[in-house]
Amino acid sequence: MEELWQGGYCNCFVKLKIMTHKLLVLTSGGDSPGMNAALRSVVRSCHYYGIEVYGCRRGYQGLVDQDIFPMDAASVANCIQRGGTILQTSRCLAFHDYAVREKCRFFLNAAKIDLLVAIGGDGTFRGATFLENEGGPKVIGIPGSIDNDIVGTEYTIGYDTARNTALDAIDKIRDTATSHDRYFLVETMGRRAGFLAADVAIAGGAEYIITPEFPISVEELAAKILAPRRKKQSLIIVVAEADHPGRSVAIAKQLEKLTSFEYRVCILGHMQRGGSPTAMDRIHASYMGNLAVESLLAGKSKYMTSIQQGQYVLAPFPDPSKPGRCLTDVKVINLDEILSV
Ligand code: ADP
């Protein structure tokens, strides 16, 4: 600890105790647009507070490989508008192993790194919690996920960009669907949560939505399509991938049999993860990055930055024994059907 004397107001002298910290930042798990904006905010907040900051390449794999490097304000120049993560990311199975984490901890302790900002999802936070509990650096997480499915926050970084990317695709599909009188199934990401599917269906005027929370059988869907109502020449059904990415192909085949219409399938896939982050993602990421650093300096740890009722606050890491955040209000499904009549 360094002790500094600084001149204060009215010629008095104020004694400030400045801890010397070293902070490591990493991005881990699934990438999401806006991670770079969060990274930039972390690095520049550290610069502002005079903290040494290091980047770790490829998430926890970089810790295993001891692949860390010093960063400064210039290291994050011109990255706020870029998708993906300039630190790169990984799914590192080895990090589940205590002995591997122990080596990482020894490495970090030897490097005198005492603070960690982990940008990622539930899995990333679990890994970081183990590391801290076992004697590693104090950690604050920043939630990054295009699914918006992390318990404790109303928003995860990357969600708005993914939503707009998928919406843009649906608008384009609508053009061709209308021109050719075609029926389409558009499959979005979203394993456990249907936020992405529901939002783009409402915003894109899709006729039906299938989400993991409110599943509908193919028979029910076929009955809805065949029900007497305003005759539509084209139709868009948004399907969240749920546990079976690519499942819309099978659904389309079953629907063809049951309704005798032809269906085209468009699986949006990984394009939803890419692209330049929207203003919303950049702004939330910037606030969260700064909050993460300030919280660590205030002695807080094992929290993630979050948005609750429009405010940036800290929230406990999600409980791994509990399910993730998901749609709870069937209103979205009903609204979509009311509006697409
Ligand atoms: P996300 O962070 O997006 O949820 P993952 O679930 O793949 O993505 O988690 C990211 C990484 O976090 C994993 O590849 C692994 O290195 C680490 N991790 C996840 N769960 C654990 C765990 N139970 N113990 C230790 N490390 C974990």
PDB file of all heavy atoms in Angstrom, residues 132-155:
ATOM      1  N   GLU A 132     -12.183 -17.152  -7.221  1.00  0.00           N
ATOM      2  CA  GLU A 132     -12.085 -16.252  -6.053  1.00  0.00           C
ATOM      3  C   GLU A 132     -12.211 -17.038  -4.745  1.00  0.00           C
ATOM      4  O   GLU A 132     -11.420 -16.828  -3.821  1.00  0.00           O
ATOM      5  CB  GLU A 132     -13.172 -15.160  -6.112  1.00  0.00           C
ATOM      6  CG  GLU A 132     -13.083 -14.295  -4.856  1.00  0.00           C
ATOM      7  CD  GLU A 132     -13.938 -13.041  -4.841  1.00  0.00           C
ATOM      8  OE1 GLU A 132     -14.456 -12.638  -5.896  1.00  0.00           O
ATOM      9  OE2 GLU A 132     -14.078 -12.464  -3.744  1.00  0.00           O
ATOM     10  N   ASN A 133     -13.171 -17.951  -4.684  1.00  0.00           N
ATOM     11  CA  ASN A 133     -13.359 -18.727  -3.444  1.00  0.00           C
ATOM     12  C   ASN A 133     -12.118 -19.539  -3.091  1.00  0.00           C
ATOM     13  O   ASN A 133     -11.849 -19.805  -1.925  1.00  0.00           O
ATOM     14  CB  ASN A 133     -14.552 -19.685  -3.576  1.00  0.00           C
ATOM     15  CG  ASN A 133     -15.871 -18.930  -3.563  1.00  0.00           C
ATOM     16  OD1 ASN A 133     -15.910 -17.767  -3.181  1.00  0.00           O
ATOM     17  ND2 ASN A 133     -16.935 -19.576  -3.994  1.00  0.00           N
ATOM     18  N   GLU A 134     -11.371 -19.923  -4.107  1.00  0.00           N
ATOM     19  CA  GLU A 134     -10.185 -20.743  -3.867  1.00  0.00           C
ATOM     20  C   GLU A 134      -8.938 -19.893  -3.576  1.00  0.00           C
ATOM     21  O   GLU A 134      -7.831 -20.421  -3.490  1.00  0.00           O
ATOM     22  CB  GLU A 134      -9.941 -21.653  -5.091  1.00  0.00           C
ATOM     23  CG  GLU A 134     -11.032 -22.726  -5.223  1.00  0.00           C
ATOM     24  CD  GLU A 134     -11.177 -23.310  -6.633  1.00  0.00           C
ATOM     25  OE1 GLU A 134     -10.390 -22.953  -7.538  1.00  0.00           O
ATOM     26  OE2 GLU A 134     -12.079 -24.130  -6.827  1.00  0.00           O
ATOM     27  N   GLY A 135      -9.131 -18.546  -3.483  1.00  0.00           N
ATOM     28  CA  GLY A 135      -8.008 -17.681  -3.127  1.00  0.00           C
ATOM     29  C   GLY A 135      -7.501 -16.833  -4.281  1.00  0.00           C
ATOM     30  O   GLY A 135      -6.448 -16.202  -4.172  1.00  0.00           O
ATOM     31  N   GLY A 136      -8.240 -16.805  -5.369  1.00  0.00           N
ATOM     32  CA  GLY A 136      -7.858 -15.996  -6.533  1.00  0.00           C
ATOM     33  C   GLY A 136      -8.338 -14.562  -6.406  1.00  0.00           C
ATOM     34  O   GLY A 136      -8.811 -14.149  -5.343  1.00  0.00           O
ATOM     35  N   PRO A 137      -8.212 -13.791  -7.483  1.00  0.00           N
ATOM     36  CA  PRO A 137      -8.587 -12.373  -7.432  1.00  0.00           C
ATOM     37  C   PRO A 137     -10.076 -12.160  -7.156  1.00  0.00           C
ATOM     38  O   PRO A 137     -10.898 -13.014  -7.444  1.00  0.00           O
ATOM     39  CB  PRO A 137      -8.224 -11.863  -8.845  1.00  0.00           C
ATOM     40  CG  PRO A 137      -7.996 -13.055  -9.675  1.00  0.00           C
ATOM     41  CD  PRO A 137      -7.720 -14.217  -8.786  1.00  0.00           C
ATOM     42  N   LYS A 138     -10.369 -10.983  -6.615  1.00  0.00           N
ATOM     43  CA  LYS A 138     -11.766 -10.591  -6.400  1.00  0.00           C
ATOM     44  C   LYS A 138     -12.384 -10.323  -7.759  1.00  0.00           C
ATOM     45  O   LYS A 138     -11.748  -9.691  -8.616  1.00  0.00           O
ATOM     46  CB  LYS A 138     -11.830  -9.303  -5.582  1.00  0.00           C
ATOM     47  CG  LYS A 138     -11.555  -9.503  -4.108  1.00  0.00           C
ATOM     48  CD  LYS A 138     -11.526  -8.143  -3.417  1.00  0.00           C
ATOM     49  CE  LYS A 138     -11.470  -8.290  -1.912  1.00  0.00           C
ATOM     50  NZ  LYS A 138     -12.711  -8.803  -1.328  1.00  0.00           N
ATOM     51  N   VAL A 139     -13.616 -10.778  -7.934  1.00  0.00           N
ATOM     52  CA  VAL A 139     -14.207 -10.690  -9.276  1.00  0.00           C
ATOM     53  C   VAL A 139     -15.529  -9.938  -9.280  1.00  0.00           C
ATOM     54  O   VAL A 139     -16.337 -10.045  -8.360  1.00  0.00           O
ATOM     55  CB  VAL A 139     -14.409 -12.108  -9.876  1.00  0.00           C
ATOM     56  CG1 VAL A 139     -15.381 -12.919  -9.058  1.00  0.00           C
ATOM     57  CG2 VAL A 139     -14.896 -12.024 -11.319  1.00  0.00           C
ATOM     58  N   ILE A 140     -15.686  -9.160 -10.348  1.00  0.00           N
ATOM     59  CA  ILE A 140     -17.006  -8.613 -10.709  1.00  0.00           C
ATOM     60  C   ILE A 140     -17.268  -9.055 -12.144  1.00  0.00           C
ATOM     61  O   ILE A 140     -16.372  -9.018 -12.993  1.00  0.00           O
ATOM     62  CB  ILE A 140     -17.032  -7.063 -10.610  1.00  0.00           C
ATOM     63  CG1 ILE A 140     -16.892  -6.592  -9.163  1.00  0.00           C
ATOM     64  CG2 ILE A 140     -18.308  -6.499 -11.249  1.00  0.00           C
ATOM     65  CD1 ILE A 140     -18.138  -6.665  -8.288  1.00  0.00           C
ATOM     66  N   GLY A 141     -18.491  -9.504 -12.411  1.00  0.00           N
ATOM     67  CA  GLY A 141     -18.854  -9.940 -13.757  1.00  0.00           C
ATOM     68  C   GLY A 141     -19.651  -8.874 -14.494  1.00  0.00           C
ATOM     69  O   GLY A 141     -20.312  -8.038 -13.879  1.00  0.00           O
ATOM     70  N   ILE A 142     -19.558  -8.916 -15.801  1.00  0.00           N
ATOM     71  CA  ILE A 142     -20.408  -8.067 -16.659  1.00  0.00           C
ATOM     72  C   ILE A 142     -21.183  -9.025 -17.564  1.00  0.00           C
ATOM     73  O   ILE A 142     -20.571  -9.825 -18.284  1.00  0.00           O
ATOM     74  CB  ILE A 142     -19.556  -7.087 -17.498  1.00  0.00           C
ATOM     75  CG1 ILE A 142     -18.778  -6.150 -16.576  1.00  0.00           C
ATOM     76  CG2 ILE A 142     -20.444  -6.295 -18.466  1.00  0.00           C
ATOM     77  CD1 ILE A 142     -17.889  -5.150 -17.307  1.00  0.00           C
ATOM     78  N   PRO A 143     -22.519  -8.998 -17.522  1.00  0.00           N
ATOM     79  CA  PRO A 143     -23.295  -9.989 -18.262  1.00  0.00           C
ATOM     80  C   PRO A 143     -23.321  -9.712 -19.766  1.00  0.00           C
ATOM     81  O   PRO A 143     -23.797  -8.679 -20.209  1.00  0.00           O
ATOM     82  CB  PRO A 143     -24.709  -9.859 -17.664  1.00  0.00           C
ATOM     83  CG  PRO A 143     -24.776  -8.450 -17.164  1.00  0.00           C
ATOM     84  CD  PRO A 143     -23.375  -8.057 -16.788  1.00  0.00           C
ATOM     85  N   GLY A 144     -22.793 -10.651 -20.529  1.00  0.00           N
ATOM     86  CA  GLY A 144     -22.825 -10.557 -21.991  1.00  0.00           C
ATOM     87  C   GLY A 144     -23.529 -11.784 -22.527  1.00  0.00           C
ATOM     88  O   GLY A 144     -23.116 -12.914 -22.236  1.00  0.00           O
ATOM     89  N   SER A 145     -24.619 -11.581 -23.233  1.00  0.00           N
ATOM     90  CA  SER A 145     -25.346 -12.710 -23.825  1.00  0.00           C
ATOM     91  C   SER A 145     -26.368 -12.160 -24.805  1.00  0.00           C
ATOM     92  O   SER A 145     -27.074 -11.199 -24.479  1.00  0.00           O
ATOM     93  CB  SER A 145     -26.066 -13.511 -22.742  1.00  0.00           C
ATOM     94  OG  SER A 145     -27.066 -14.323 -23.327  1.00  0.00           O
ATOM     95  N   ILE A 146     -26.468 -12.770 -25.964  1.00  0.00           N
ATOM     96  CA  ILE A 146     -27.477 -12.274 -26.916  1.00  0.00           C
ATOM     97  C   ILE A 146     -28.871 -12.772 -26.551  1.00  0.00           C
ATOM     98  O   ILE A 146     -29.848 -12.380 -27.165  1.00  0.00           O
ATOM     99  CB  ILE A 146     -27.142 -12.657 -28.376  1.00  0.00           C
ATOM    100  CG1 ILE A 146     -27.142 -14.171 -28.562  1.00  0.00           C
ATOM    101  CG2 ILE A 146     -25.837 -12.041 -28.820  1.00  0.00           C
ATOM    102  CD1 ILE A 146     -27.216 -14.578 -30.019  1.00  0.00           C
ATOM    103  N   ASP A 147     -28.955 -13.658 -25.547  1.00  0.00           N
ATOM    104  CA  ASP A 147     -30.261 -14.233 -25.190  1.00  0.00           C
ATOM    105  C   ASP A 147     -30.999 -13.470 -24.093  1.00  0.00           C
ATOM    106  O   ASP A 147     -32.184 -13.741 -23.863  1.00  0.00           O
ATOM    107  CB  ASP A 147     -30.083 -15.691 -24.730  1.00  0.00           C
ATOM    108  CG  ASP A 147     -29.622 -16.586 -25.862  1.00  0.00           C
ATOM    109  OD1 ASP A 147     -29.916 -16.255 -27.017  1.00  0.00           O
ATOM    110  OD2 ASP A 147     -28.956 -17.604 -25.582  1.00  0.00           O
ATOM    111  N   ASN A 148     -30.323 -12.573 -23.406  1.00  0.00           N
ATOM    112  CA  ASN A 148     -30.928 -11.803 -22.312  1.00  0.00           C
ATOM    113  C   ASN A 148     -31.507 -12.724 -21.233  1.00  0.00           C
ATOM    114  O   ASN A 148     -32.560 -12.432 -20.668  1.00  0.00           O
ATOM    115  CB  ASN A 148     -32.036 -10.887 -22.849  1.00  0.00           C
ATOM    116  CG  ASN A 148     -32.246  -9.678 -21.956  1.00  0.00           C
ATOM    117  OD1 ASN A 148     -31.392  -9.341 -21.142  1.00  0.00           O
ATOM    118  ND2 ASN A 148     -33.398  -9.035 -22.087  1.00  0.00           N
ATOM    119  N   ASP A 149     -30.812 -13.810 -20.962  1.00  0.00           N
ATOM    120  CA  ASP A 149     -31.401 -14.855 -20.115  1.00  0.00           C
ATOM    121  C   ASP A 149     -30.697 -15.023 -18.772  1.00  0.00           C
ATOM    122  O   ASP A 149     -30.756 -16.089 -18.174  1.00  0.00           O
ATOM    123  CB  ASP A 149     -31.384 -16.191 -20.874  1.00  0.00           C
ATOM    124  CG  ASP A 149     -29.972 -16.627 -21.236  1.00  0.00           C
ATOM    125  OD1 ASP A 149     -29.032 -15.828 -21.070  1.00  0.00           O
ATOM    126  OD2 ASP A 149     -29.804 -17.777 -21.684  1.00  0.00           O
ATOM    127  N   ILE A 150     -30.002 -13.973 -18.297  1.00  0.00           N
ATOM    128  CA  ILE A 150     -29.266 -14.115 -17.038  1.00  0.00           C
ATOM    129  C   ILE A 150     -30.108 -13.563 -15.884  1.00  0.00           C
ATOM    130  O   ILE A 150     -30.541 -12.400 -15.922  1.00  0.00           O
ATOM    131  CB  ILE A 150     -27.893 -13.413 -17.136  1.00  0.00           C
ATOM    132  CG1 ILE A 150     -27.057 -14.091 -18.243  1.00  0.00           C
ATOM    133  CG2 ILE A 150     -27.162 -13.457 -15.802  1.00  0.00           C
ATOM    134  CD1 ILE A 150     -25.684 -13.517 -18.452  1.00  0.00           C
ATOM    135  N   VAL A 151     -30.322 -14.405 -14.894  1.00  0.00           N
ATOM    136  CA  VAL A 151     -31.146 -14.010 -13.736  1.00  0.00           C
ATOM    137  C   VAL A 151     -30.446 -12.891 -12.974  1.00  0.00           C
ATOM    138  O   VAL A 151     -29.256 -12.965 -12.697  1.00  0.00           O
ATOM    139  CB  VAL A 151     -31.363 -15.210 -12.796  1.00  0.00           C
ATOM    140  CG1 VAL A 151     -32.046 -14.765 -11.498  1.00  0.00           C
ATOM    141  CG2 VAL A 151     -32.199 -16.273 -13.476  1.00  0.00           C
ATOM    142  N   GLY A 152     -31.203 -11.831 -12.648  1.00  0.00           N
ATOM    143  CA  GLY A 152     -30.659 -10.744 -11.824  1.00  0.00           C
ATOM    144  C   GLY A 152     -30.449  -9.469 -12.613  1.00  0.00           C
ATOM    145  O   GLY A 152     -30.128  -8.437 -12.032  1.00  0.00           O
ATOM    146  N   THR A 153     -30.605  -9.543 -13.925  1.00  0.00           N
ATOM    147  CA  THR A 153     -30.489  -8.325 -14.725  1.00  0.00           C
ATOM    148  C   THR A 153     -31.563  -8.313 -15.807  1.00  0.00           C
ATOM    149  O   THR A 153     -31.895  -9.354 -16.373  1.00  0.00           O
ATOM    150  CB  THR A 153     -29.086  -8.162 -15.353  1.00  0.00           C
ATOM    151  OG1 THR A 153     -29.059  -6.942 -16.097  1.00  0.00           O
ATOM    152  CG2 THR A 153     -28.702  -9.317 -16.259  1.00  0.00           C
ATOM    153  N   GLU A 154     -32.090  -7.123 -16.044  1.00  0.00           N
ATOM    154  CA  GLU A 154     -33.108  -7.005 -17.097  1.00  0.00           C
ATOM    155  C   GLU A 154     -32.457  -6.935 -18.478  1.00  0.00           C
ATOM    156  O   GLU A 154     -33.155  -6.969 -19.486  1.00  0.00           O
ATOM    157  CB  GLU A 154     -33.927  -5.720 -16.874  1.00  0.00           C
ATOM    158  CG  GLU A 154     -34.825  -5.801 -15.669  1.00  0.00           C
ATOM    159  CD  GLU A 154     -35.174  -4.425 -15.090  1.00  0.00           C
ATOM    160  OE1 GLU A 154     -34.967  -3.397 -15.770  1.00  0.00           O
ATOM    161  OE2 GLU A 154     -35.642  -4.392 -13.937  1.00  0.00           O
ATOM    162  N   TYR A 155     -31.146  -6.806 -18.498  1.00  0.00           N
ATOM    163  CA  TYR A 155     -30.491  -6.619 -19.799  1.00  0.00           C
ATOM    164  C   TYR A 155     -29.104  -7.241 -19.812  1.00  0.00           C
ATOM    165  O   TYR A 155     -28.352  -7.109 -18.851  1.00  0.00           O
ATOM    166  CB  TYR A 155     -30.368  -5.112 -20.113  1.00  0.00           C
ATOM    167  CG  TYR A 155     -30.002  -4.906 -21.551  1.00  0.00           C
ATOM    168  CD1 TYR A 155     -30.962  -4.934 -22.543  1.00  0.00           C
ATOM    169  CD2 TYR A 155     -28.666  -4.767 -21.921  1.00  0.00           C
ATOM    170  CE1 TYR A 155     -30.614  -4.808 -23.874  1.00  0.00           C
ATOM    171  CE2 TYR A 155     -28.314  -4.651 -23.247  1.00  0.00           C
ATOM    172  CZ  TYR A 155     -29.290  -4.672 -24.210  1.00  0.00           C
ATOM    173  OH  TYR A 155     -28.951  -4.574 -25.532  1.00  0.00           O
TER     174      TYR A 155
END
